[in-house]
Amino acid sequence: MASVSDLPLPPPPLPSPVPLPPNLTPAAGVLPPRPPPPPPPPPSQPPPSSQPHPFLSPSLAHLASRHSVTVAATTAAITCVIVGFPFDSVKTRMQVFPYPTPTSSPTLNCIRSTFVSEGIHG
């Protein structure tokens, strides 16, 4: 049977990495409360929605300032369709119909024949 002297000794306690304040003992187990964060600095200028817009009525300016991301995304989508549709139309027509001409490029020939036969709306 093993005697008590043969058992390993427990490791010594580790030193505290941060010295404890005098009002806190290890037996208390509660840290003092943190100080509140500092208040945010006051704004240097009024928010953009309170400034009058030079070109829009106040109600329309208010709507545009509250929904600026939606207005920007809608404008980008409409612009993309308006600019990209003619290129997509020419690409699709060239994939379906052959437009070979020896004197000019097939792309310009497709654009010309579409404009002549269907006008600006083709």
Side-chain angles (χ1 to χ4, degrees), residues 5 37 39 44 52 61 64 74 80-81 85 90 102 105 116:
S5 62
S44 59
T74 303
C80 182
V81 169
F85 181 76
V90 169
S105 75
V116 167

Side-chain angles (χ1 to χ4, degrees), residues 84-108:
F85 181 76
F87 295 107
D88 189 50
S89 178
V90 169
K91 173 197 65 102
T92 304
R93 288 173 189 263
M94 289 182 66
Q95 288 174 340
V96 175
F97 305 111
Y99 285 95
T101 56
T103 57
S104 65
S105 75
T107 305
L108 292 177

